[in-house]
Amino acid sequence: MANQSGIDIQYPQFGAGIWHFGRYVDRYATDGYGPPVTTPQAIERAGQVGELSVVDMTYPFDPPGLTVDEVAAALKSQSLRAIAVTPEIYTRRFSRGAFTNPDPEVRRAAVALVAEGAEAARRLGCDYVKLWPGQDGWDYPFQADHGELWRWSLDAVRELATSFPDLRFAIEYKPREPRNRMVFSSMAKTLLGIEEIGLPNVGVLLDFGHSLYGGESPADAARLAISRGRLFAIDVNDNYRGWDDDMVVGSVHLTETFEFFHALTDAGWDGVWQLDQFPFREDSVEAARAGIRVMKAIHRALGLVDRQALEAAQRAQDALGAQRIAQKALFAVMGEE
């Protein structure tokens, strides 16, 4: 694509979680914010966006019995590739925990489900398997032995990464929800666990909204993971910091979103810019296009940043000067599309 000056711009790859195009249910609208959506239907909607290259697939596929070959054919028909598989180890079956369930048989079932998903990821040619153990944690003081939960979590991830040395496993951390407290709750704690696991194919998926929600600076969290070679993937969205709202990228924290992508590119990270939005009441295709439109503007703005001036302002810790430099670049492109 060429900008207004006629200069061709090479954008990064854009992706999305396939759930972006699915059916949404919360504890109030228990009948859902729309009709059920099968995996092939969600893939078709993803294809309608027009600027997505990859999607993160949940596993098991829907409807039950849908094969990997059928999913691969559906993806091919929309010129999409599966970048990851996310096994559903957070459903009712694992409501008391997946890797940390008090029942050892349920813990084994969680590992087995991830292994099935990993086999599917291998056949689809995915870059990684995403682990989001949302039910692993606790709700009340004194409910659990924290050391035991930690050990079970690390043992499960280590077993999976050892069993599939050709695949990468990306842990997506989050402070809470659905459990009141999750085991993998922050970037620092997740990196500590990865260090203890001690395998090269275990890393982090940094969800921008989870980082905000956890009181982190997403740019700082990204730098921390990159410095240890463990940032395998990112998901981007936005929220009001009090909950994981999964809103359209840049709709609330535009400056922090710009800083996040600046940190990534400045460190030489060149992965997929991937959406994890939940458009409960908006059209899912249009919401994806809106998120991509913002990310494309940010990418153009990154090329306009006066890096020498910014480095000088940062060396002096000149907050207003650094803000002025970032705003000049960002505001220059926001009205282009």
Side-chain angles (χ1 to χ4, degrees):
M1 175 184 174
N3 65 7
Q4 291 180 344
S5 301
I7 301 173
D8 286 333
I9 300 173
Q10 185 64 46
Y11 287 111
Q13 278 195 312
F14 298 118
I18 199 65
W19 52 89
H20 187 294
F21 307 98
R23 182 193 193 199
Y24 301 106
V25 177
D26 62 24
R27 60 177 177 159
Y28 300 104
T30 55
D31 53 346
Y33 286 87
V37 179
T38 66
T39 297
Q41 288 171 335
I43 291 171
E44 183 178 3
R45 291 183 184 180
Q48 292 172 13
V49 175
E51 294 188 272
L52 292 176
S53 299
V54 299
V55 286
D56 178 349
M57 304 296 301
T58 52
Y59 181 87
F61 308 125
D62 184 35
L66 188 68
T67 67
V68 174
D69 289 341
E70 288 170 327
V71 170
L75 289 167
K76 184 177 181 180
S77 73
Q78 300 298 325
S79 299
L80 295 169
R81 182 176 74 86
I83 190 173
V85 163
T86 299
E88 294 183 334
I89 53 172
Y90 41 80
T91 57
R92 183 172 63 183
R93 181 185 185 189
F94 304 109
S95 61
R96 297 184 66 201
F99 299 153
T100 64
N101 197 289
D103 186 338
E105 292 187 7
V106 177
R107 295 200 300 272
R108 295 307 311 163
V111 171
L113 179 58
V114 176
E116 287 181 18
E119 292 286 2
R122 182 183 275 161
R123 291 178 58 189
L124 288 170
C126 294
D127 293 357
Y128 59 92
V129 177
K130 188 176 79 181
L131 301 176
W132 184 66
Q135 299 285 8
D136 285 341
W138 66 95
D139 302 310
Y140 291 90
F142 287 101
Q143 180 177 357
D145 180 328
H146 297 294
E148 188 170 59
L149 299 186
W150 183 246
R151 177 171 55 81
W152 283 342
S153 294
L154 301 192
D155 286 350
V157 177
R158 185 183 295 109
E159 178 182 344
L160 287 160
T162 301
S163 299
F164 295 89
D166 57 316
L167 294 177
R168 299 197 300 173
F169 291 81
I171 301 171
E172 181 179 11
Y173 69 90
K174 186 178 180 181
R176 59 174 299 194
E177 192 206 14
R179 297 310 288 259
N180 286 340
R181 294 289 184 271
M182 283 179 56
V183 171
F184 292 114
S185 57
S186 68
M187 176 61 82
K189 190 175 180 183
T190 305
L191 288 173
L192 184 66
I194 291 170
E195 182 179 330
E196 191 170 330
I197 291 168
L199 295 172
N201 59 330
V202 181
V204 179
L205 183 143
L206 197 171
D207 183 298
F208 182 88
H210 294 180
S211 187
L212 286 178
Y213 180 29
E216 298 178 337
S217 157
D220 176 51
R223 285 283 196 175
L224 187 63
I226 291 170
S227 71
R228 285 152 179 79
R230 297 293 185 171
L231 186 60
F232 287 2
I234 62 168
D235 279 349
V236 284
N237 44 54
D238 212 335
N239 61 52
Y240 287 106
R241 255 197 166 96
W243 197 251
D244 185 30
D245 302 304
D246 284 323
M247 298 162 69
V248 169
V249 175
S251 55
V252 182
H253 294 94
L254 182 59
T255 302
E256 283 186 274
T257 306
F258 188 33
E259 184 193 26
F260 175 67
F261 282 115
H262 175 267
L264 293 173
T265 55
D266 194 52
W269 192 87
D270 61 354
V272 173
W273 293 19
Q274 189 154 287
L275 297 172
D276 181 12
Q277 304 175 156
F278 274 58
F280 282 86
R281 299 167 186 85
E282 292 73 41
D283 179 87
S284 62
V285 173
E286 289 305 315
R289 290 172 177 165
I292 292 172
R293 186 164 57 248
V294 172
M295 290 193 292
K296 289 173 72 174
I298 285 174
H299 185 266
R300 295 195 301 275
L302 289 171
L304 299 178
V305 173
D306 185 335
R307 291 184 176 270
Q308 286 187 331
L310 180 59
E311 289 170 5
Q314 289 180 333
R315 281 196 300 270
Q317 297 187 22
D318 177 0
L320 299 183
Q323 285 275 297
R324 185 170 59 251
I325 293 162
Q327 290 166 354
K328 181 180 179 180
L330 186 58
F331 295 163
V333 301
M334 291 309 293
E336 288 181 349
E337 293 190 29

